[in-house]
Each structure stands twice: as C-alpha cells, then as structure tokens.
Amino acid sequence: MKSLNNIIRKNILVIGDIMLDKYYNGEVKRISPEAPVPVFSKKGEKSVLGGAANVAANLVSALQNVYIMAVIGNDESGNKLKTILKKQGIKTDFIIYTNKHTTEKIRFLASNNQQVLRLDIEDTRPLNSDDCTKMLHDLNTTIKKFDLIILSDYLKGVLTYEFTQGVIKIARENNIPVIIDVKDLKIEKYKDAYLIKPNLKELENLSGMPVSNDKEIIEASRYLKNICNCRYILTTCGARGMVLVGDSEPYFIKSASKEVFDVTGAGDTTIAYLAACIVNGFTMKESVNIANYAAGIQVSKVGTSSVYWEEIRKSLYSKRYKPDNKLISGKLVDDFRKNNADKKIVFTNGCFDIIHAGHVNYLQEAANLGDILVVGLNSDMSVKKLKGPERPINTELERARIMCSLEYIDYVVIFEEETPLDLIKKIQPDVLAKGGDYSNKYVVGKKEVEANGGIFVLIPFTEGQSTTNIIKKIQNI
C-alpha cells in the first residue's frame, strides 16, 4: 500500500446541501405534568458543520484544500455556518445566499449522550433557475483548479436534476472525477458520474432489485452501474461493511468498527476519505479500505465529528496490517509477480541487524520509488557467512519482526543464500534499490532486473551510520 505519510494537498470541491448541526446537552429527570413526555433541562449547546459541510470538514482533516459550493439562508444560522466553514479553512467563495431558511438539525442529548429528540428546521424548495445558472457558470470558469468533485445529496433542494447533470457534464469535459453520495430515487440524475455511493436501502430503491445477500447486492450494483454509466458503485452495508463493484471482480470488505456509539456523519467521513485517497494516487481498493477504517473510527465517536489521518494510521496498522502478515515465503513468493501484476514493485535487501537512522532514511526513500516495497532479509546463516561467526546480533525472526513493524515496508522475505539473486528472479521487481555505498560495487540482480525492463536505483548513503560503528561504540563503553 502507498504510504499514509505521503499525503499531498489536492483541490477538492464539495457541492451539496450544507446544514448547521446543533447539539443541546442536558438531562431528563421528570415527566411533564402537561402530557406524558419527558422534560428536557438544557445545560449547554454547540454548533458544528453538518451535511455536505461535514464532508468538507472531514476533507480538511484529511489534509486537503477544500472548496464548497452551496446555498444558505440570509439568517443567523446561515451566517454562523459560513463563519464555522471559514474558521476551519474551507473556501466559501461559491456559497450564495437565497431566501430559503438555512437547514438546521437540533439534537437533544441527555445523560450518557443519549439522543432523546431531533428537531429539523428546513426548506427543501429546489434550486431556482437563476441560481443554477450562476453556480454552473462559476464552476465552468474555475473547473481546471479542481482535482475531484464530491456531490453530497441530502435532498434539501440544491442538487436538482438540471444542476447535478450540469456539474457532471462540465467535470467530464475536463476529465475530473465526480463521486456522489446519493439519496434521490431519480436514478437518471446521477448518470455519468465516476462513482456512486448508496447505502444498502438506497441501492435497493435505486435499482428496484432485492439486496438480501451478496449475489443480489452484486447484481443490483451492476445494474445501477450500467444504467448510470459510471465506473464504480460503492455500497455501504452498515455493520456488514462495504461492497465495491467496478470493472474487475467485486470487492467485499468487512466493517472496521467494533463499538458503535453514533452513526451520525459516517457516510460523510467515508466519502471524504475515499476522495482524499483517490486524488492521492491510492488504488480504488486501497481507497475503500482506508475509507472503511475512517468510518469505523467515526461511529465510535459521539455526534458529528471529524476523523484524522493519525487515527487511521493507528487503526489500520494495528488491526489490518499486523507485522506478522508481512512476512512471506514459499508460494506467496513464487506467485508474487503474478499476484501484483498491476503494481510497481521495489526490491532491496540487507542484514538489517541493528536498525539505525541510516536504514530508516534508506528504506523510506526506497518505498517512494514504487507501489510495493519488498525487503529481502539475510538469514542468520547467511549473515554469519558475510559478517563472521559473531553476527548477527539479533536473530532473523527478531530482525524480521522489526522490519515488518515499519509501515512503509510492505513485505519481508528471509533468504538463506549469500546473495538474493534467486529471490530477485522470483519477485521480478520493477526497481532494484541499494544504498549509495554500492556505487562502485557489483550489484547482484542488477543485470536481471534491467533485462526485464526494470531499473536500478542508488539511494544516497547516510554518512557515519552503520551497524558496525554502533557495535564498536558499545564495545568501547
């Protein structure tokens, strides 16, 4: 997987229904004498971004440059919403004022954050023709600055058929992907999008087909994909996880969440991180995996809130990418090229007896040369032949576990031979990387890699950093 440490800020435009989410915190201790209803005693309140604005907020947390195109009312809630957007660094140049009331969702939270009531204040009249024309004109004149567009449809009136299709048309003419969080049953509104993200109920309603098992979900997704002429359908299935249907085999992924406290905003988080990953060059499967983990983190929080990359890194590498899963051998090695035919494979090797800063710099640079970094690790016997009977300091399994724990290393293979030539022939890497200290040395496997169309790369050596020097310092203490 591409490193999560190399996220680049891209320009993403969010278009859709924005709203102000208010939370009234308080307690319920008695029943009203006027009617058999609880009496809510308000203790405090807070306001956060909701709807499409929450998608934008999550994109900011995902370290992206975010623009938002929407409408708000000329009222106190609209002004407050715009103030919060600006405070979070979201560019509001494309927001226009209308005579509609700004959408508000007020949630009453009692003890233990238990939601006892929700009050919605909204005006769902569709976008008028003049506002539609203005917004499409603004998009057309600025479209080239964007790397991706998200349409977040909450059926509050912004994403009419005319406006939605206008956005998709402008984006397609400029080769910019549009991904849509859908709600409307008018399926033709979403035609020609790059990706459509329904939940299970929406997939059933949009396709008119049953979705009670995996086979039915796949068939309904393929039907929807064909009708809408889109490249992908990503269906979120709650606790069951997600299903991606595209040109290749369907991809099922289990839910990453173990504890669910509040599902508010989970869909917004999913589509935000999906977008951030797509524009940063992750494969679609990798993007879905990361979005799934982001959603799992979101539902473990209370209320509408954002998810951060650091939270995803911790979740991803502690749950899915356990170190031992990276250590491969046997048939996994023999079939490695076949199983990763669409990936740029980088290979390097060494003893890595005592990991130091030089190793870290070198391996990070190697990982940046492709999609997958495979490290060949000399076995204990191999190290003894190369370094002498006193080495290695750490056993091969200890060294392998340390290497596997580094997130930018994808796979580790222990080899018994003095050189990794046989391993290189099996892996068939696109890039063979070695440290700068090999500039005047014969490099095993270089000829074979270049014969297959690959390249050899020398990575600058960090002066003064070596296992031998560390051992000498320890012996002199």
Side-chain angles (χ1 to χ4, degrees):
M1 175 182 280
K2 179 184 170 74
S3 174
L4 298 185
N5 292 321
N6 297 320
I7 302 300
I8 298 172
R9 289 187 180 274
K10 299 285 188 173
N11 294 329
I12 299 178
L13 174 63
V14 179
I15 305 176
D17 302 295
I18 62 175
M19 55 194 73
L20 190 66
D21 278 8
K22 291 183 177 180
Y23 291 86
Y24 289 171
N25 298 296
E27 58 185 13
V28 175
K29 290 187 174 181
R30 62 192 179 94
I31 301 298
S32 172
E34 303 167 358
V37 295
V39 175
F40 182 87
S41 179
K42 180 183 170 185
K43 302 296 184 182
E45 69 175 88
K46 68 173 182 177
S47 297
V48 297
L49 301 176
N54 187 42
V55 176
N58 273 277
L59 284 167
V60 171
S61 300
L63 303 180
Q64 302 306 297
N65 295 323
V66 189
Y67 300 74
I68 194 157
M69 179 176 282
V71 300
I72 56 175
N74 193 10
D75 50 33
E76 182 181 348
S77 293
N79 292 331
K80 190 168 189 176
L81 187 53
K82 195 168 184 179
T83 298
I84 298 173
L85 286 164
K86 288 182 176 180
K87 187 175 180 180
Q88 294 199 17
I90 299 165
K91 298 169 182 63
T92 61
D93 297 348
F94 300 118
I95 289 181
I96 61 174
Y97 285 94
T98 69
N99 61 358
K100 295 175 61 174
H101 191 288
T102 301
T103 299
E104 296 179 62
K105 292 186 182 297
I106 305 172
R107 296 174 175 90
F108 295 78
L109 303 180
S111 301
N112 297 318
N113 292 302
Q114 177 66 45
Q115 187 174 153
V116 296
L117 179 68
R118 193 180 92 177
L119 171 65
D120 289 1
I121 303 172
E122 58 187 27
D123 182 344
T124 60
R125 284 178 293 166
L127 191 70
N128 65 48
S129 180
D130 290 343
D131 290 337
C132 176
T133 300
K134 175 181 176 8
M135 293 167 78
L136 289 176
H137 175 267
D138 290 345
L139 176 63
N140 199 38
T141 56
T142 58
I143 186 68
K144 295 189 182 299
K145 74 162 61 174
F146 303 117
D147 299 294
L148 183 143
I149 295 174
I150 297 175
L151 300 186
S152 181
D153 194 354
Y154 275 83
L155 293 180
K156 306 304 178 188
V158 172
L159 291 174
T160 61
Y161 172 84
E162 179 186 3
F163 182 54
T164 302
Q165 278 296 296
V167 170
I168 294 173
K169 181 175 183 293
I170 293 170
R172 280 176 66 91
E173 289 172 349
N174 290 274
N175 296 314
I176 295 171
V178 175
I179 64 177
I180 309 179
D181 200 344
V182 301
K183 286 286 188 297
D184 205 333
L185 296 182
K186 298 174 182 176
I187 193 171
E188 65 275 6
K189 187 168 93 172
Y190 305 122
K191 184 176 174 59
D192 295 328
Y194 178 76
L195 178 145
I196 292 175
K197 187 188 79 64
N199 60 31
L200 201 56
K201 184 63 176 175
E202 289 159 354
L203 176 64
E204 181 180 30
N205 292 337
L206 284 165
S207 66
M209 300 170 67
V211 292
S212 59
N213 56 52
D214 291 350
K215 182 180 179 182
E216 290 179 349
I217 292 172
I218 292 170
E219 290 176 351
S221 297
R222 285 176 172 161
Y223 172 81
L224 185 59
K225 176 179 178 293
N226 291 334
I227 290 295
C228 290
N229 191 37
C230 61
R231 187 165 178 183
Y232 296 101
I233 301 292
L234 176 63
T235 303
T236 55
C237 306
R240 292 172 57 186
M242 302 182 188
V243 183
L244 178 71
V245 172
D247 297 328
S248 57
E249 289 297 309
Y251 181 59
F252 288 79
I253 180 170
K254 294 181 179 179
S255 173
S257 176
K258 291 187 177 179
E259 294 183 293
V260 177
F261 290 102
D262 191 342
V263 298
T264 305
D268 299 335
T269 301
T270 298
I271 202 164
Y273 271 91
L274 183 72
C277 291
I278 290 171
V279 296
N280 269 275
F282 288 84
T283 67
M284 186 55 69
K285 287 183 179 180
E286 290 171 342
S287 299
V288 170
N289 278 328
I290 294 171
N292 182 52
Y293 274 94
I297 295 167
Q298 168 63 52
V299 298
S300 68
K301 300 182 178 184
V302 175
T304 306
S305 55
S306 295
V307 174
Y308 299 89
W309 277 114
E310 185 58 33
E311 295 176 284
I312 295 175
R313 290 188 190 102
K314 289 179 180 178
S315 177
L316 194 62
Y317 288 102
S318 65
K319 295 179 182 177
R320 181 169 178 81
Y321 294 97
K322 295 180 180 178
D324 290 344
N325 292 344
K326 297 182 179 182
L327 185 59
I328 60 173
S329 61
K331 188 168 176 59
L332 288 176
V333 175
D334 295 339
D335 294 342
F336 195 84
R337 179 77 267 180
K338 181 177 70 175
N339 293 334
N340 296 278
D342 60 338
K343 300 296 178 74
K344 186 177 182 180
I345 301 171
V346 182
F347 179 88
T348 192
N349 65 279
C351 301
F352 301 105
D353 195 0
I354 298 178
I355 297 294
H356 51 71
H359 288 142
V360 172
N361 294 337
Y362 162 67
L363 291 167
Q364 284 181 322
E365 289 296 321
N368 290 332
L369 296 174
D371 301 314
I372 295 175
L373 174 60
V374 181
V375 176
L377 188 68
N378 292 76
S379 69
D380 290 348
M381 187 60 67
S382 177
V383 174
K384 290 183 186 298
K385 291 178 181 178
L386 292 170
K387 305 287 187 178
E390 301 301 319
R391 300 281 296 276
I393 303 298
N394 296 300
T395 68
E396 61 190 52
L397 291 180
E398 290 170 340
R399 290 181 285 124
R401 186 157 184 81
I402 293 170
M403 299 299 285
C404 288
S405 70
L406 300 177
E407 69 176 62
Y408 41 82
I409 294 176
D410 296 285
Y411 297 99
V412 175
V413 187
I414 298 174
F415 63 95
E416 297 289 341
E417 300 79 15
E418 288 189 44
T419 75
L421 183 59
D422 288 343
L423 186 55
I424 290 171
K425 289 179 179 178
K426 290 179 180 179
I427 297 291
Q428 299 178 41
D430 301 284
V431 181
L432 176 61
K434 293 295 289 184
D437 53 332
Y438 274 79
S439 58
N440 296 315
K441 297 179 182 179
Y442 171 74
V443 177
V444 171
K446 178 176 180 291
K447 179 177 66 175
E448 287 75 12
V449 170
E450 291 178 339
N452 286 330
I455 61 172
F456 170 66
V457 176
L458 275 175
I459 297 174
F461 184 71
T462 304
E463 293 296 333
Q465 295 286 341
S466 74
T467 300
T468 301
N469 287 342
I470 292 173
I471 293 173
K472 286 180 180 178
K473 285 182 181 180
I474 294 173
Q475 289 174 337
N476 292 330
I477 292 176

